[in-house]
């Protein structure tokens, strides 16, 4: 009892004249409530009476809740309020003066914490809210944003610290001093309570406490102002997000793929007076006003030219504020494909490469095709290729730019085997290189590389949409077509290196040889072949067969040459076939050389004409002594070195032709380096089913071959078509408790349980996360596993050399604290993925 | 006579390796390939021909004989106008299995009147010297099962192949005639067949 009373006495003594913090707060709060009365600009007695009453009310309320045990009069309260306000003002002035560089932000919210760690490289990325991924992806560093409430989630952009810096410094400064004061105050009060209780100390404490309170109140004011600002910012950002989402949903298909694409021919714009529009070969979207086209083309081309000359390496990617551009430069041509920054860079680059390769596949060399055809014709083709490569069905396909295959879970594997066997049957004709079978725009089986298959599919889809399905009774020729195509040497090499069983081609093999164990050619065969393969015994007739093969090839090259006046060297190994008679080889080389030379001269002259305004002639151009010639000089040098490489790389081709390549293709990206070889694409359509074969151009003239291929495959194609048509598109597997996407990098195929339609609400974050992870995987070769996560969802990604797998588990509350925690449910994703995906044939073990 | 072309679906059934695909290829493209791989599932070819003044398009369905392909081939039995049961004269087992093939066909093709359905029996590989199945055996089996026509063929030598298919067409047409005769007895025909109209006028 005594002790308690003593304690109370001490308290009373020491707080005799103090208002407790709570009371002070009350004063302020109540003052705000009564503000209208108290601050009324009126000196009438009634007004002052009202004021008195108001103060009395405040005092009463304070007394009722007071924790200090003292009763205050309204006068005391009024004076106290005045003091508070005055000290607050004084204090603010002091703070303003003392404010310097020493202020260290000491914010403790998770957000700022993260901001401080911005530069650390983090493996696990935490995303704030599914829909907020965009802004994050825009920023350069892969830092993290964590926030407590998913709805209030702020995309942390780089501009934020600057825009708020004023508020933050003020606040943190005050906070800091406040902390200091309060701690020192507590120390003092402890010592005072310890019993010493000196008068001076009481005064000190009082002063300190006042100080503290003043700071505290300023702090609060500023906090409130800060919150108000923050709220406004939030509102605005929500508006922006809304806008973005709207754009996404409305223009998803257009915007996510490509916003701009153009081909610019620098050779058309050399002089000062040449308008930029002369150089624009194709611009997408085509309805863009010419002025804008010129602006964009001119600027980008200028920047690329400049940068590539400074760095003496071609520009690949340009990042602008909202768009990023994949850029390819070859000869005087410049391609640029612009996507929004959200699209992974790797996808943009792949898209552009695909587009250019596609054009070259169907039209041959770009320069040549622009000499042969009108701009309008080719513009239509660019538009067609572009529209084909644009993401149509699913955004996931766009992320990986993968092949569209038939749903193999739905199809009896025996049918895939059947398709593979049809292709192999066609290869029995030596003029057939490789082929693929497509059904309704999807791959059933292919012997070609994924890139090549995509190219072939473009033509197929075009003819498919143009021509309605025919009744099966209509016979032969109408269903068969062909088109000239151009292969790069590497593509051709790949096709030839495929282990086609020569015995099968010799037509003299025992029964089951149509079934060689070539796993690479057809993916379906590899599985089944092991179970039922009867090993084929090699026949003795190998070498004669090879001879005939080579003969026919070189012949066809000879015949093809006059058709192509421009330098398009066949792959040297063709003309060099060891089995070819010597004489024939020589004549071939010579004729080729001549045709090449004449065309090259023409080519050079043309260049000279183009440049006659700028520089005197070819020699001068090479020396590059004129100021305006420097640009050209660089390229000329480059082309020479390039030519040397080619010369080394290609055995047995005459020197002239190697230089020709250099002149033809100056600093191209790797895919175009090699010359293009004319080939023919043979198509046999049976309703929705298409057999597409890459054949030697000679094939079409060889009646025996065409008939053999046609008749040997017709029955099987009919049957396969009947089978595939009868397959009911299996009910799309009910949206399970998880989403996955499995990308086979080798075959470029995608397996997923995502429904095809774009922009499904729950799938959107998954696609975004997958796209982000994919681009990280592409950029960081050593990265193997990653979890990406928002407040509501987590996506796990893993990859090996051959595959990439992405997995998201639905439902179940994520125990997600923002801080790595072993109980975090995100960490169970890898094992869940392993187990769940087994039944989809995805092995992550 | 008439110019109406009808599509007839005939289906080749029989054990694996008896030469169904070869028979079809011989008949349609007149070619023989000794190195054909097993048929997987079904395949078919169309052939236009004229039998007794009737223009018909014969759609010949070749099926996989192996048991493991059963699920792939059976859905395509339905709608057949005629069934060619095929065995190899040098393989007794393939002959013994004819009954099973017939049963399977009748079951999956959902034939209404199995005893009236036109079957044709083909004994292939006549060119092979070591026969295991005698003509008498087969003819007896045909008699017992419904008086089916029997042809001994060789896809390799092109023996009897065309004859067999023409016989199949005749059987089908005969069936049609019979049903044509049957129908008017108890039904009123709302749409007169153009064929009968044509004969009236000419």
């Amino acid at each position: 009892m005594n002790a308690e009373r003593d304690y109370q006495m001490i308290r009373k003594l020491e707080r005799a004249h103090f208002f407790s913090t709570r009371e002070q707060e009350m004063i302020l709060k109540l003052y705000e409530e009564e503000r209208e009365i108290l601050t009324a600009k009126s000196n009438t007695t009634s007004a002052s009476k009202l004021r008195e009453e108001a103060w009395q009310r405040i005092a009463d309320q304070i007394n009722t809740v007071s924790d200090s045990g003292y009763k205050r009069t309204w006068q005391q309260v009024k004076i106290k309020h005045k003091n508070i306000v005055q000290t607050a003002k004084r204090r603010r002035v002091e703070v303003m003066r003392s404010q310097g560089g020493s202020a260290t932000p000491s914010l403790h919210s998770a957000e700022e914490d993260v901001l401080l760690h911005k530069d650390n490289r983090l493996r696990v990325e935490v995303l704030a809210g599914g829909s907020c991924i965009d802004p994050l992806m825009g920023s350069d560093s892969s830092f993290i944003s964590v926030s407590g409430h998913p709805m209030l989630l702020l995309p942390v952009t780089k501009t934020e610290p600057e825009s708020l810096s004023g508020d933050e410094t003020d606040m943190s400064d005050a906070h800091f001093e406040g902390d200091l004061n309060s701690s020192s105050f507590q120390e003092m009060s402890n010592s005072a309570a310890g019993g010493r209780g000196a008068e001076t100390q009481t005064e000190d404490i009082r002063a300190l406490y006042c100080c503290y309170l003043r700071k505290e109140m300023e702090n609060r004011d500023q906090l409130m102002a800060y919150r108000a600002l923050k709220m406004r910012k939030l509102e605005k950002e929500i508006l922006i997000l809304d806008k973005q989402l709207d754009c996404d949903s409305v223009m998803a298909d257009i915007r996510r793929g490509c916003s701009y694409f153009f081909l610019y021919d620098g050779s058309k714009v050399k002089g000062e007076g040449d308008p930029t529009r002369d150089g624009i070969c194709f611009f997408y979207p085509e309805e863009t006003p010419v002025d804008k086209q010129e602006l964009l083309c001119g600027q980008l081309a200028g920047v690329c030219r400049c940068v590539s000359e400074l760095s003496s390496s071609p520009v690949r990617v340009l990042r602008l504020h909202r768009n990023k551009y994949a850029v390819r430069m070859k000869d005087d041509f410049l391609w640029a494909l612009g996507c929004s920054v959200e699209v992974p860079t790797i996808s943009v680059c792949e898209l552009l490469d695909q587009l250019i390769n596609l054009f070259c596949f169907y039209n041959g060399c770009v320069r040549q095709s622009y000499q042969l055809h009108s701009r309008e014709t080719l513009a239509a083709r660019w538009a067609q290729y572009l529209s084909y490569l644009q993401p149509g069905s699913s955004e996931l396909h766009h992320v990986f730019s993968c092949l569209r295959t038939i749903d193999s879970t739905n199809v009896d594997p025996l049918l895939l085997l059947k398709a593979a066997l049809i292709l192999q049957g066609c290869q029995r004709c030596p003029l057939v290189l490789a082929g693929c079978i497509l059904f309704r725009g999807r791959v059933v089986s292919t012997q070609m590389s994924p890139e090549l298959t995509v190219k072939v599919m473009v033509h197929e889809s075009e003819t498919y949409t143009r021509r309605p399905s025919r009744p099966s009774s209509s016979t032969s020729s109408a269903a068969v077509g062909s088109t000239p195509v151009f292969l790069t040497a590497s593509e051709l090499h790949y096709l030839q290196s495929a282990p086609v069983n020569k015995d099968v081609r010799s037509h003299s093999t025992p029964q089951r040889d149509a079934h060689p164990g070539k796993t690479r050619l057809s993916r379906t065969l590899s599985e089944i072949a092991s179970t039922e393969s009867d090993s084929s015994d090699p026949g003795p007739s190998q070498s004669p067969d090879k001879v005939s093969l080579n003969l026919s090839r070189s012949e066809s090259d000879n015949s093809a040459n006059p058709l192509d006046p421009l330098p398009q060297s066949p792959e040297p190994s063709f003309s060099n076939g060891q089995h070819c008679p010597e004489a024939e080889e020589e004549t071939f080389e010579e004729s080729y050389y001549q045709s090449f030379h004449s065309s090259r001269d023409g080519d050079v002259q043309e260049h000279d004409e183009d440049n006659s305004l700028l520089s005197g002639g070819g020699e001068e151009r090479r020396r590059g002594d004129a100021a305006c010639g420097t640009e050209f000089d660089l390229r000329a040098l480059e082309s020479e070195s390039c030519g040397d490489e080619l010369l080394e790389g290609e055995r047995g081709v005459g020197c002239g032709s190697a230089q020709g390549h250099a002149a033809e293709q100056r600093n191209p990206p790797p895919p175009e380096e090699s010359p293009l070889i004319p080939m023919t694409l043979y198509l046999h359509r049976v309703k929705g089913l298409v057999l597409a074969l890459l054949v030697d151009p000679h094939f079409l003239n060889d009646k025996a071959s065409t008939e053999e291929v046609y008749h040997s495959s017709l029955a099987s194609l009919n049957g396969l078509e009947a089978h595939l048509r009868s397959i009911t598109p299996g009910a799309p597997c009910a949206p399970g408790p998880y989403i996955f996407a499995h990308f086979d990098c080798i075959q470029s195929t995608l397996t997923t349980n995502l429904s095809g339609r774009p922009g499904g609400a729950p799938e959107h974050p998954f696609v975004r996360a997958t796209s982000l992870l994919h681009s990280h995987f592409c950029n960081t070769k050593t990265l193997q596993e990653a979890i990406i996560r928002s407040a509501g969802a987590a996506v796990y990604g893993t990859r090996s050399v051959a595959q990439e797998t992405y997995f998201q588990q639905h439902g179940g509350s994520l125990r997600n604290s923002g801080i790595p925690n072993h109980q975090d449910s995100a960490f169970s994703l890898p094992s869940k993925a392993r187990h769940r995906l087994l039944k989809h044939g995805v092995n992550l073990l | 006579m008439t110019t109406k072309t009808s599509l007839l679906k005939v289906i080749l059934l029989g054990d694996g390796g008896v030469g169904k695909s070869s028979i079809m290829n011989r008949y349609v493209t007149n070619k023989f390939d000794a190195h054909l791989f097993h048929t997987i599932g079904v395949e078919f070819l169309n052939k236009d021909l004229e039998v007794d003044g009737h223009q018909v398009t014969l759609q010949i369905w070749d099926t996989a004989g192996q048991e493991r392909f059963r699920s792939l081939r059976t859905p395509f039995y339905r709608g057949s106008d005629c069934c060619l049961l095929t065995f190899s004269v040098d393989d007794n087992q393939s002959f013994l299995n004819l009954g099973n093939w017939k049963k399977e066909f009748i079951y999956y093709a959902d034939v209404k009147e199995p005893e009236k359905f036109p079957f044709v029996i083909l004994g292939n590989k006549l060119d092979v010297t070591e026969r295991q199945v005698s003509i008498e055996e087969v003819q007896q089996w045909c008699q017992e099962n419904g008086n089916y026509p029997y042809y001994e063929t060789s896809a390799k030598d092109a023996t009897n192949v065309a004859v067999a298919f023409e016989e199949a067409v005749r059987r089908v047409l005969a069936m049609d005639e019979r049903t044509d005769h049957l129908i008017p007895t108890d039904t009123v025909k709302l749409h007169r067949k153009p064929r009968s109209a044509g004969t009236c006028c000419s």
Side-chain angles (χ1 to χ4, degrees):
Chain A
M1 268 318 264
N2 254 355
E4 198 181 318
R5 192 177 300 155
D6 282 354
Y7 175 68
Q8 277 193 345
M9 283 296 290
I10 288 163
R11 270 184 68 191
K12 275 173 193 168
L13 263 179
E14 126 201 1
R15 301 238 171 142
H17 302 288
F18 277 119
F19 281 76
S20 71
T21 321
R22 181 146 174 240
E23 284 174 306
Q24 294 196 38
E25 284 170 12
M26 285 287 292
I27 291 175
L28 289 175
K29 192 178 137 223
L30 294 167
Y31 179 82
E32 285 303 315
E33 285 171 10
E34 306 278 358
R35 176 180 278 274
E36 272 183 25
I37 300 166
L38 294 173
T39 60
K41 294 261 183 286
S42 166
N43 285 327
T44 59
T45 46
S46 63
S48 69
K49 182 80 185 159
L50 278 174
R51 278 199 282 271
E52 270 182 37
E53 283 169 9
W55 281 116
Q56 186 59 55
R57 278 199 298 278
I58 293 173
D60 289 344
Q61 285 201 45
I62 286 169
N63 288 335
T64 54
V65 297
S66 167
D67 52 355
S68 64
Y70 274 84
K71 297 289 171 208
R72 319 276 187 191
T73 64
W74 67 266
Q75 287 92 345
Q76 279 176 314
V77 171
K78 186 178 172 188
I79 290 166
K80 181 65 198 170
H81 177 260
K82 200 174 121 199
N83 285 340
I84 290 172
V85 172
Q86 275 175 353
T87 46
K89 276 180 185 159
R90 205 166 53 231
R91 192 68 205 158
R92 182 174 294 166
V93 172
E94 278 173 30
V95 169
M96 297 275 272
R97 268 192 215 127
S98 67
Q99 203 176 75
S102 64
T104 47
S106 62
L107 299 178
H108 295 297
S109 77
E111 217 165 85
E112 273 77 16
D113 235 336
V114 172
L115 273 180
L116 285 174
H117 293 107
K118 182 172 162 178
D119 291 331
N120 294 353
R121 284 245 164 232
L122 288 160
R123 245 194 59 189
V124 176
E125 293 205 17
V126 185
L127 278 205
S131 60
C132 297
I133 295 175
D134 304 19
L136 261 181
M137 286 166 57
S139 65
D140 271 334
S141 56
S142 55
F143 69 86
I144 290 175
S145 110
V146 180
S147 188
H149 197 285
M151 289 308 292
L152 289 182
L153 223 46
L154 279 183
V156 182
T157 59
K158 277 153 81 184
T159 54
E160 195 179 40
E162 283 99 23
S163 69
L164 281 179
S165 60
D167 295 335
E168 277 177 25
T169 342
D170 278 358
M171 189 185 65
S172 51
D173 200 14
H175 201 87
F176 179 65
E177 281 190 23
D179 278 355
L180 205 73
N181 285 346
S182 70
S183 62
S184 61
F185 166 74
Q186 275 186 355
E187 239 172 66
M188 298 286 205
S189 64
N190 282 347
S191 55
R196 288 193 285 154
E199 188 67 20
T200 50
Q201 274 181 345
T202 325
E203 283 303 311
D204 276 355
I205 291 164
R206 188 179 301 161
L208 274 171
Y209 190 53
C210 285
C211 227
Y212 163 71
L213 288 175
R214 281 195 297 268
K215 294 296 291 181
E216 187 71 10
M217 282 182 318
E218 283 161 29
N219 208 350
R220 265 158 218 271
D221 282 349
Q222 283 160 350
L223 260 178
M224 270 153 67
Y226 171 69
R227 277 193 198 130
L229 280 174
K230 209 167 166 183
M231 282 301 289
R232 273 172 58 196
K233 186 175 172 230
L234 249 185
E235 279 165 19
K236 297 218 160 125
E237 266 159 350
I238 289 171
L239 275 179
I240 291 173
L241 280 181
D242 278 351
K243 242 184 204 165
Q244 279 178 354
L245 285 176
D246 277 355
C247 285
D248 276 357
S249 56
V250 174
M251 307 175 67
D253 280 356
I254 310 157
R255 290 189 58 91
R256 292 204 47 85
C258 140
S259 28
Y260 295 106
F261 168 74
F262 64 81
L263 168 60
Y264 182 75
D265 183 0
S267 72
K268 296 282 191 298
V269 190
K270 286 291 182 193
E272 283 290 324
D274 296 339
T276 312
R277 69 191 63 185
D278 284 359
I280 302 175
C281 296
F282 175 68
F283 194 97
Y284 170 90
E286 289 175 276
E287 60 273 12
T288 316
V290 180
D291 291 348
K292 209 183 162 192
Q293 293 186 13
E294 283 195 320
L295 187 70
L296 193 65
C297 291
Q299 299 273 353
L300 279 184
V303 167
C304 293
R305 179 77 63 212
C306 179
V307 171
S308 64
E309 275 170 25
L310 285 177
S311 63
S312 70
S313 63
V315 178
R316 310 286 293 198
V317 180
L318 276 182
R319 292 178 68 111
L320 302 188
H321 189 58
R322 285 204 196 80
N323 288 314
K324 62 173 80 161
Y325 287 85
V327 177
R328 293 290 176 270
M329 301 163 81
K330 190 184 141 194
D331 303 342
D332 287 324
F333 285 114
L334 179 135
W335 289 265
L337 178 81
C339 286
S340 93
V341 284
E342 301 157 26
V343 182
T345 308
I346 188 93
S347 303
V348 187
C349 291
E350 271 176 14
L351 188 62
L352 182 58
D353 283 338
Q354 271 187 8
L355 197 56
I356 298 172
N357 290 338
L358 198 52
F359 184 87
C360 292
F361 181 68
Y362 286 109
N363 300 288
C365 152
V366 181
R367 174 67 67 197
Q368 176 197 349
S369 47
Y370 268 93
Q371 282 160 353
L372 290 176
H373 303 282
S374 73
R375 239 176 223 201
E376 288 70 31
T377 321
L378 295 176
R381 293 192 192 164
W382 281 114
Q384 177 207 334
Y385 304 144
L386 196 56
S387 73
Y388 180 80
L389 291 179
Q390 291 280 357
S393 61
S394 162
E395 290 178 73
L396 269 183
H397 280 86
H398 179 49
V399 171
F400 298 107
S401 55
C402 58
L403 276 186
R404 285 173 200 156
T405 51
I406 53 166
D407 183 7
S408 53
T409 54
N410 227 351
V411 175
D412 192 322
L414 284 170
L415 294 179
L416 301 180
L417 172 65
K418 188 179 174 76
L421 287 173
I422 294 173
L423 290 175
Q424 286 178 18
C426 293
Q427 277 186 321
R428 293 182 355 172
C429 169
L431 294 176
V432 174
L433 271 109
C436 65
I437 291 183
L438 314 168
F439 184 69
R440 291 179 182 160
R442 289 174 176 272
V443 179
V444 181
S445 178
T446 182
Q447 295 176 318
M448 302 180 278
S449 65
E451 297 79 31
L452 203 50
T453 312
V454 169
K455 293 179 188 174
V456 169
M457 287 173 76
V458 175
H459 186 75
E460 193 276 325
S461 71
E462 185 199 7
T463 48
Y464 181 52
T465 48
R466 215 186 269 165
R467 187 191 300 168
S469 60
R470 303 169 163 274
S472 63
S473 55
S474 87
T475 41
S476 73
S477 58
V480 176
S482 68
T483 183
V485 294
F486 300 85
L487 292 187
T488 64
S490 59
E491 282 169 341
L492 191 66
H493 182 72
Y494 174 84
L495 291 179
Q496 288 175 333
S497 67
V500 174
N501 195 338
K502 291 285 192 290
D503 303 329
V504 177
R505 294 191 164 184
S506 74
H507 296 260
S508 61
T509 44
Q511 171 128 26
R512 284 174 180 176
D513 258 9
H515 176 49
K518 42 176 176 177
T519 53
R520 178 123 151 254
L521 277 187
S522 46
R523 68 177 77 104
T524 52
L525 195 58
S526 57
E527 307 147 15
I528 302 160
S530 57
T531 60
E532 65 172 75
S533 78
D534 313 325
S535 64
S536 53
D537 31 332
S541 58
Q542 207 153 2
S543 55
D545 193 45
K546 261 189 188 163
V547 171
S548 72
L549 179 66
N550 271 326
L551 271 175
S552 60
R553 285 255 163 80
S554 46
E555 266 166 29
S556 73
D557 279 337
N558 259 331
S559 67
N561 255 332
L563 297 175
D564 295 292
L566 285 161
Q568 277 191 344
S569 117
E571 201 193 37
S573 62
F574 266 13
S575 52
N576 273 349
Q578 280 97 15
H579 304 285
C580 285
E582 207 59 30
E584 189 187 325
E585 189 183 341
E586 264 181 30
T587 53
F588 165 61
E589 288 266 302
E590 200 172 78
S591 70
Y592 175 69
Y593 185 80
Q594 279 175 353
S595 74
F596 167 71
H597 248 262
S598 59
S599 65
R600 183 170 172 256
D601 287 344
D603 201 24
V604 169
Q605 271 167 14
E606 200 167 326
H607 275 283
D608 285 348
E609 275 163 25
D610 285 345
N611 295 304
S612 57
L613 285 176
L614 288 172
S615 52
E619 278 308 303
E620 228 172 315
R621 186 186 76 196
R622 275 179 177 270
R623 298 285 165 256
D625 43 5
C628 51
T630 44
E631 167 185 312
F632 215 90
D633 190 38
L634 260 174
R635 288 208 325 265
L637 284 173
E638 209 166 347
S639 76
E640 272 171 5
S641 64
C642 185
D644 287 341
E645 279 167 27
L646 279 170
L647 193 60
E648 283 170 13
E650 299 185 1
R651 56 193 174 90
V653 175
C655 163
S657 71
Q659 274 185 5
H661 299 158
E664 180 64 16
Q665 334 226 332
R666 269 185 201 110
N667 48 354
E672 285 95 31
E673 238 162 43
S674 38
L676 297 167
I677 300 113
M679 279 285 153
T680 298
L681 181 65
Y682 166 91
L683 292 171
H684 181 180
R685 172 177 300 282
V686 178
K687 295 185 189 169
L689 189 77
V690 173
L691 168 72
L693 298 173
L694 279 176
V695 296
D696 195 286
H698 203 55
F699 175 79
L700 294 177
N701 304 327
D702 187 346
K703 205 159 184 331
S705 298
T706 44
E707 282 193 353
E708 184 199 335
V709 167
Y710 179 81
H711 287 301
S712 68
S713 59
L714 180 61
S716 311
L717 289 175
N718 280 337
L720 185 59
E721 200 275 335
H723 278 297
L724 291 176
R725 190 158 31 95
S726 69
I727 290 169
T728 46
C733 44
Y738 57 90
I739 309 178
F740 80 97
H742 176 73
F743 176 60
D744 184 322
C745 311
I746 307 297
Q747 291 168 352
S748 187
T749 54
L750 185 73
T751 320
T752 177
N753 64 349
L754 259 188
S755 60
R757 71 206 140 73
E763 299 156 0
H764 207 57
F766 177 75
V767 175
R768 290 273 176 94
T770 302
S771 133
L772 186 58
L773 281 173
H774 174 65
S775 68
H776 270 270
F777 280 142
C778 290
N779 292 333
T780 321
K781 294 296 171 203
T782 48
L783 183 60
Q784 297 207 324
E785 283 185 290
I787 294 171
I788 197 166
R789 161 173 95 174
S790 70
V795 176
Y796 166 70
T798 178
R799 72 107 168 254
S800 67
V801 187
Q803 59 187 37
E804 289 177 28
T805 308
Y806 303 89
F807 180 83
Q808 179 188 357
Q809 177 82 32
H810 282 317
S813 60
L814 277 173
R815 276 195 301 276
N816 176 358
S817 53
I819 307 163
N821 168 1
H822 71 280
Q823 286 195 317
D824 197 319
S825 52
F827 294 115
S828 65
L829 278 176
S831 65
K832 272 192 187 135
R834 274 193 279 278
H835 290 120
R836 301 242 182 202
L837 297 188
L838 265 181
K839 78 169 179 191
H840 296 279
V842 177
N843 190 350
L844 298 178
L845 300 174
Chain B
M1 280 268 289
T2 70
T3 51
K4 180 179 169 260
T5 304
S6 50
L7 186 73
L8 300 185
K9 177 176 176 180
V10 299
I11 190 160
L12 283 157
L13 293 182
D15 275 10
V18 299
K20 298 179 294 299
S21 304
S22 294
I23 289 175
M24 177 180 75
N25 284 331
R26 169 57 78 187
Y27 182 57
V28 178
T29 65
N30 201 20
K31 281 189 178 134
F32 180 76
D33 185 348
H35 313 123
L36 282 179
F37 187 67
H38 313 294
T39 306
I40 296 173
V42 296
E43 307 189 344
F44 71 86
L45 287 174
N46 293 332
K47 167 123 178 149
D48 296 317
L49 75 159
E50 190 181 319
V51 177
D52 302 341
H54 296 287
Q55 286 289 338
V56 289
T57 299
L58 205 54
Q59 191 168 78
I60 303 159
W61 287 71
D62 171 32
T63 59
Q66 276 79 11
E67 184 56 28
R68 60 188 156 149
F69 297 134
R70 175 201 277 261
S71 63
L72 277 177
R73 68 177 177 245
T74 49
F76 295 94
Y77 291 181
R78 196 175 285 271
S80 300
D81 295 300
C82 178
C83 178
L84 303 178
L85 294 175
T86 313
F87 70 95
S88 168
V89 291
D90 69 340
D91 178 1
N92 195 40
Q93 188 57 46
S94 70
F95 170 64
L96 297 178
N97 283 340
L98 284 185
N100 297 332
W101 284 107
K102 186 184 162 191
K103 255 184 268 171
E104 183 181 296
F105 176 79
I106 288 170
Y107 178 77
Y108 285 104
D110 200 15
V111 177
K112 291 287 177 310
E113 295 169 292
E115 58 285 352
K116 285 183 183 164
F117 190 86
F119 285 96
V120 176
I121 313 301
L122 302 183
N124 196 29
K125 304 200 185 176
L126 190 59
D127 52 286
V128 178
T129 43
E130 307 93 35
R131 281 188 72 121
Q132 288 191 4
V133 189
S134 69
I135 300 184
E136 294 74 33
E137 272 182 275
V138 185
Q139 280 172 340
Q140 191 190 346
W141 187 87
C142 288
Q143 285 295 332
E144 286 165 3
N145 279 273
N147 207 7
Y148 301 140
Y150 170 59
Y151 291 92
E152 299 215 321
T153 61
S154 165
K156 193 175 180 184
D157 303 338
T159 315
N160 261 346
V161 176
V163 180
F165 278 103
E166 279 158 23
E167 174 61 23
V169 173
R170 278 194 198 94
R171 291 267 160 167
V172 177
L173 293 177
M175 273 285 289
D176 284 353
E177 293 290 327
R178 239 177 296 151
T179 44
D180 278 351
H181 287 305
L182 286 176
I183 289 168
T185 55
D186 52 355
T187 55
V188 178
K189 228 177 206 171
L190 294 178
H191 308 283
R192 297 291 298 173
K193 281 217 166 178
R195 196 191 331 171
S196 41
T199 43
C200 285
C201 295
S202 62

